[in-house]
Amino acid sequence: MTDFAPGIVVERDFPDAARDALANTQLRRNIGKATNTIRAKRLKVVGEMPDWQELREAGRQIKAQVARHLDTHLLKLEEAVTAAGGRVHWARDGEEANRIIGEILARHGAREVLKIKSLTTDETGLNSALAQRGISAIETDLAEVIVQLGEDRSSHILVPAIHRNRAEIREIFKRKLAGTENLSDEPAELAGAARRYLREKFLTVPFAISGANFAVAETGSVAIFESEGNGRMCLTLPKVLISLMGIEKVIPSWRDMEVFLQTLPRSSTAERMNPYNSVWSGTRAGEGPEEFHLVLLDNGRTDVLADEPARETLACIRCSACLNVCPVYERTGGHAYGSTYPGPIGAILTPQLNQPGPAETLPYASSLCGACFEACPVKIDIPRILVHLRGKIVGRKKETLAGKFSGEAIAMAAMARIFGSARLFELAQKSAVIGQKPFVRGNVIPSLPGPMAGWTAMRDVTPVPKQSFRQWWRAERGAESSAKPGGSA
Amino acid sequence: MQVSLFISCFNDTLFPQTGQAVVSVLERLGHSVDFPMEQTCCGQMHLNSGYRDETVGLMRRFLDVFEPCDVIVCPSSSCVSTVRTSYPRLAREMGDAELIRRTDALAGKVFEFSEFLVRKLGVEDVGAYYPHRVTYHPTCNSLRALKITDAALALLRNVRGLELIELPKSEECCGFGGTFAVKNADTSIAMLTDKLANIRSTQAEVCTAVDNSCLMHIAGGLSRERSGRRALHLAEILASTEEGMRQ
């Protein structure tokens, strides 16, 4: 089974990856259908809540408070987990987390380990790290099973196989699972095939790895909300349970969970409540796992915390509502983002956890339409953060010679200079009327060279008219009527 | 009322007829319009592209030019949203108390054109006549940042002769997004294609909106498709009258 490199190493520029994705007709149909369906369902269940806006605000405030006192809450969590019989490990980065988890499993001589769907383990590339130690990670979430058996990569935070339809899933199962010769593409039959495969694993593999939706500092309780019951199996049957959690997932108290229990399921699966809500605190003799490890992962999160305008990024509860409403994601799907975290939240999170390079194209993968902000259950102002990150990228580039003298930087500086003076601006308007002449055909410009060629690939350009508004005003009203307030600047 | 027109660099250069329409409607309603000649650009493109230093320069310039005005009206929701929302935020990020005071004061004085007519003047019928089948595209800034879709629709419903057709999936972005349309041209075009299909399904001859930037992108596609439809700024529909058509 192929395992992929750590989940946040973006290998291609977004515009290039998007071009390929846009040309994939099956993907376009599958993702378009799925996102439109879930959008309508989300609107319906959110509409049932008269206090939805208050809940969003409450969620935002809880997360802001967590971020401000993250150190205190984490230490409290460690203390409570330890007191309840669990063990807490601190991991600076993905590699350290993978090593900690690998060592725990190696100590027990594990060859296989069950996994509950976890973005954080995808981020650290845990499966491939375990494979290098000869340990097979077995995904148990149905969509993750499809992705793993299909030697594929997740394309959605919540529905990793959203880019697949049932005919494709049937083919994957027939190729990889025994006893599926006569499998149809009926959802119930497909789920049945996965269940038979998984049931055997649940009953024989005594090790499991999970992520965490939340961890309550006051009691050291860790929570997993899910729909299929595979999580419940993994959390209760094995002997050893290891949970990997980003440090931002801690919440102060049980009372805070009340807010997210209302907003998370409605925003993610468009359900009023998740079918399975599992919360455990440490270990207990005679029931559940005998050994529990909680691995707390930084991996760049403290850097996000330090960048105040971007700090809100850490409030994300990974519901995926922003993906489902995003007009860009709807068309490109998740793979184009090249990261565990696709869509609008990925466009702000991935580059912050990354090195400069292709990931820097992600903050530009948005028209800033604001649909994500509107849908976000913790009110992360994603468009604002996208613009902030663009500013940081431009700032970094300006420090290099190549960046300082790039076509874009020169054009932007020139335009700023032109806009710095009404006289220069008017001169530029007049020059454009003359400069455009070779390109005008009839009353449109059908084709332009250079960076504007992307525009004219599908869009005619409106030529600059001979008379600008200010020229018309001066001719009609004279300069004196314009002087009224305005003053000199 | 004395109204100062902030035309936006984009309209000034490419769509002077939109500015003329704004002047015509406001004067028809008995208001007096001035045009501060020193105005250029609010800096939106620089801001959204990450050129912060340049934006700050343009913001200071904009403040100098428009601070003496009592009421500023602009036929572009994205420019209004820059002045109303982004300026005060930028000033706060800079931690400049004087700039915070100035941008806050300015933010309360600037209005998008349709917003100004309906919310500030309380006018929904401007006496316009436009005998065409029209569909309205709520641009993202007017819909989500300024929340003025109701105002624009109220104005359109009161235009005599105009048949207003609801645009399917109207709230979805057209794919313009400023430099997005060039930097991510393929994705932008994919979004536009769906917007055009929705416009076509209304069988309207005209698609209108309150932002010429989005409309230029939509018009470019309509023109390329030889669709026999066009895009037109709301102000130009409102400026159209029976008398004007006879001339």
Side-chain angles (χ1 to χ4, degrees):
Chain A
M1 213 165 287
T2 311
D3 276 300
F4 285 86
I8 51 169
V9 178
V10 181
E11 280 162 2
R12 294 177 73 193
D13 287 354
F14 182 82
D16 290 336
R19 192 176 303 118
D20 290 350
L22 291 165
N24 184 336
T25 53
Q26 183 72 67
L27 178 112
R28 293 286 295 275
R29 156 118 184 104
N30 294 353
I31 301 218
K33 187 163 180 264
T35 52
N36 278 279
T37 307
I38 197 155
R39 259 182 225 181
K41 283 164 86 177
R42 188 193 78 89
L43 280 178
K44 185 172 165 279
V45 293
V46 164
E48 295 170 354
M49 305 293 283
D51 58 346
W52 183 252
Q53 294 309 329
E54 286 82 0
L55 284 167
R56 289 178 75 214
E57 178 58 23
R60 187 194 70 77
Q61 286 187 21
I62 292 168
K63 284 292 191 172
Q65 198 266 4
V66 165
R68 265 201 305 279
H69 306 287
L70 191 57
D71 51 346
T72 318
H73 297 309
L74 286 171
L75 288 173
K76 203 166 167 194
L77 175 69
E78 179 182 36
E79 198 181 315
V81 169
T82 310
R87 242 205 93 190
V88 174
H89 310 259
W90 300 80
R92 189 170 292 105
D93 55 25
E95 206 185 316
E96 192 174 3
N98 293 347
R99 184 163 45 73
I100 291 167
I101 296 170
E103 280 169 4
I104 296 167
L105 291 169
R107 205 162 56 235
H108 288 280
R111 308 302 301 165
E112 289 184 308
V113 60
L114 301 170
K115 274 190 74 201
I116 305 179
K117 184 177 139 20
S118 152
L119 290 163
T120 317
T121 61
D122 199 6
E123 174 188 326
T124 66
L126 178 64
N127 289 10
S128 41
L130 292 179
Q132 280 168 18
R133 288 178 180 266
I135 302 168
S136 303
I138 301 158
E139 296 291 348
T140 64
D141 170 89
L142 179 54
E144 290 286 6
V145 169
I146 295 164
V147 166
Q148 190 172 42
L149 295 179
E151 299 180 21
D152 198 355
R153 192 170 173 170
S154 165
S155 67
H156 189 280
I157 286 176
L158 185 80
V159 199
I162 195 169
H163 57 291
R164 297 290 198 186
N165 66 16
R166 53 194 181 153
E168 293 172 285
I169 294 166
R170 171 179 180 242
E171 286 313 308
I172 292 168
F173 282 6
K174 283 180 79 165
R175 220 165 38 236
K176 289 292 171 75
L177 299 181
T180 53
E181 295 76 19
N182 301 315
L183 190 66
S184 82
D185 65 357
E186 283 306 308
E189 265 199 52
L190 294 172
R195 185 179 293 118
R196 279 189 298 280
Y197 156 72
L198 289 173
R199 193 53 62 106
E200 190 231 316
K201 299 291 184 191
F202 287 137
L203 295 175
T204 54
V205 179
F207 311 102
I209 295 168
S210 84
N213 286 106
F214 300 96
V216 182
E218 71 179 353
T219 55
S221 311
V222 182
I224 288 281
F225 305 143
E226 44 124 9
S227 300
E228 298 170 12
N230 64 303
R232 182 65 60 81
M233 295 282 204
C234 293
L235 297 170
T236 50
L237 290 174
K239 217 161 55 130
V240 179
L241 172 64
I242 308 166
S243 301
L244 176 64
M245 172 186 127
I247 49 175
E248 80 283 13
K249 291 297 178 75
V250 65
I251 53 174
S253 68
W254 272 87
R255 215 188 132 162
D256 301 311
M257 189 113 80
E258 171 240 8
V259 172
F260 301 115
L261 272 169
Q262 296 180 77
T263 52
L264 178 58
R266 283 182 167 83
S267 302
S268 55
T269 47
E271 290 169 304
R272 296 182 184 93
M273 192 177 179
N274 287 106
Y276 293 90
N277 301 281
S278 306
V279 190
W280 68 98
S281 314
T283 56
R284 186 171 297 190
E287 67 179 46
E290 295 158 18
E291 203 175 305
F292 170 58
H293 300 267
L294 179 63
V295 183
L296 298 172
L297 176 71
D298 182 348
N299 202 32
R301 286 162 175 77
T302 44
D303 295 334
V304 181
L305 191 68
D307 183 15
E308 222 241 303
R311 184 179 292 170
E312 264 175 39
T313 311
L314 295 179
C316 176
I317 55 173
R318 309 284 189 262
C319 72
S320 73
C322 64
L323 278 64
N324 299 330
V325 299
C326 177
V328 174
Y329 177 87
E330 178 190 344
R331 287 167 182 83
T332 65
H335 291 159
Y337 294 80
S339 160
T340 295
Y341 305 107
I345 186 63
I348 61 170
L349 180 58
T350 303
Q352 294 188 73
L353 303 181
N354 236 294
Q355 299 298 313
E360 288 184 321
T361 60
L362 292 175
Y364 297 91
S366 165
S367 64
L368 305 177
C369 83
C372 48
F373 181 28
E374 195 175 56
C376 179
V378 287
K379 289 171 85 171
I380 302 173
D381 191 344
I382 294 177
R384 182 186 61 72
I385 298 173
L386 286 166
V387 169
H388 168 71
L389 296 176
R390 291 176 186 184
K392 287 180 76 173
I393 291 163
V394 167
R396 265 203 301 277
K397 283 190 176 158
K398 275 182 178 171
E399 285 169 15
T400 69
L401 210 61
K404 203 170 173 178
F405 294 104
S406 70
E408 183 186 289
I410 289 170
M412 287 289 181
M415 291 192 77
R417 211 162 35 245
I418 289 166
F419 290 140
S421 145
R423 193 183 56 80
L424 281 180
F425 178 43
E426 191 164 342
L427 206 63
Q429 289 177 326
K430 287 177 183 161
S431 315
V433 175
I434 299 162
Q436 71 184 351
K437 275 187 181 157
F439 303 103
V440 180
R441 302 278 178 279
N443 52 6
V444 296
I445 296 172
S447 175
L448 281 171
M452 286 305 289
W455 178 280
T456 52
M458 167 70 185
R459 294 155 289 203
D460 289 337
V461 172
T462 317
V464 181
K466 284 201 182 66
Q467 193 183 38
S468 67
F469 179 82
R470 65 182 56 233
Q471 286 174 295
W472 172 82
W473 181 271
R474 194 185 292 114
E476 290 288 314
R477 309 295 169 107
E480 62 282 5
S481 65
S482 27
K484 213 239 131 200
S488 63
Chain B
M1 192 183 294
Q2 182 67 39
V3 179
S4 300
L5 175 62
F6 159 37
I7 181 78
S8 89
C9 61
F10 194 80
N11 287 325
D12 188 352
T13 309
L14 287 164
F15 300 96
Q17 65 278 15
T18 299
Q20 291 157 19
V22 171
V23 173
S24 149
V25 173
L26 290 174
E27 290 182 347
R28 197 161 77 214
L29 294 172
H31 303 283
S32 137
V33 182
D34 60 84
F35 180 73
M37 287 296 275
E38 276 300 313
Q39 64 180 283
T40 55
C41 169
C42 65
Q44 182 192 169
M45 184 188 66
H46 285 93
L47 176 74
N48 287 347
S49 306
Y51 289 80
R52 203 183 129 119
D53 299 344
E54 290 81 352
T55 311
V56 172
L58 293 172
M59 172 171 81
R60 288 188 184 281
R61 191 172 188 287
F62 191 97
L63 285 164
D64 290 341
V65 173
F66 282 101
E67 260 172 349
C69 306
D70 296 327
V71 172
I72 303 151
V73 170
C74 175
S76 161
S77 77
S78 63
C79 302
V80 170
S81 156
T82 298
V83 176
R84 191 181 289 171
T85 315
S86 304
Y87 278 9
R89 181 188 292 147
L90 198 53
R92 279 170 179 79
E93 279 177 18
M94 293 164 68
D96 183 328
E98 175 64 4
L99 215 47
I100 292 171
R101 187 194 60 72
R102 291 177 69 190
T103 52
D104 281 352
L106 189 76
K109 297 199 291 190
V110 62
F111 302 92
E112 187 280 327
F113 177 57
S114 61
E115 172 187 43
F116 179 71
L117 292 175
V118 175
R119 305 243 174 102
K120 187 86 178 163
L121 298 179
V123 177
E124 292 189 353
D125 185 347
V126 296
Y129 172 69
Y130 194 74
H132 299 282
R133 193 175 165 98
V134 175
T135 193
Y136 177 74
H137 165 60
T139 59
C140 299
N141 268 288
S142 65
L143 175 73
R144 299 195 182 88
L146 304 185
K147 299 183 168 57
I148 52 170
T149 306
D150 289 353
L153 288 174
L155 289 162
L156 282 169
R157 283 194 198 98
N158 283 292
V159 174
R160 271 167 286 287
L162 186 147
E163 191 186 352
L164 182 64
I165 314 294
E166 195 181 326
L167 180 65
K169 298 189 80 174
S170 66
E171 299 196 349
E172 192 162 288
C173 176
C174 69
F176 171 64
T179 52
F180 173 77
V182 177
K183 280 183 194 269
N184 279 285
D186 293 282
T187 308
S188 168
I189 289 169
M191 290 160 71
L192 175 61
T193 302
D194 291 342
K195 183 58 74 180
L196 296 178
N198 284 319
I199 293 171
R200 207 181 306 121
S201 77
T202 65
Q203 308 207 2
E205 345 159 21
V206 175
C207 173
T208 191
V210 296
D211 287 83
N212 270 329
S213 46
C214 308
L215 284 176
M216 183 179 78
H217 163 81
I218 292 171
L222 290 172
S223 160
R224 182 62 60 86
E225 283 192 337
R226 311 294 191 264
S227 68
R229 298 166 216 286
R230 65 202 165 104
L232 190 68
H233 194 283
L234 175 71
E236 291 172 60
I237 291 179
L238 299 181
S240 170
T241 59
E242 238 172 304
E243 297 73 44
M245 292 190 84
R246 269 189 229 110
Q247 280 163 14

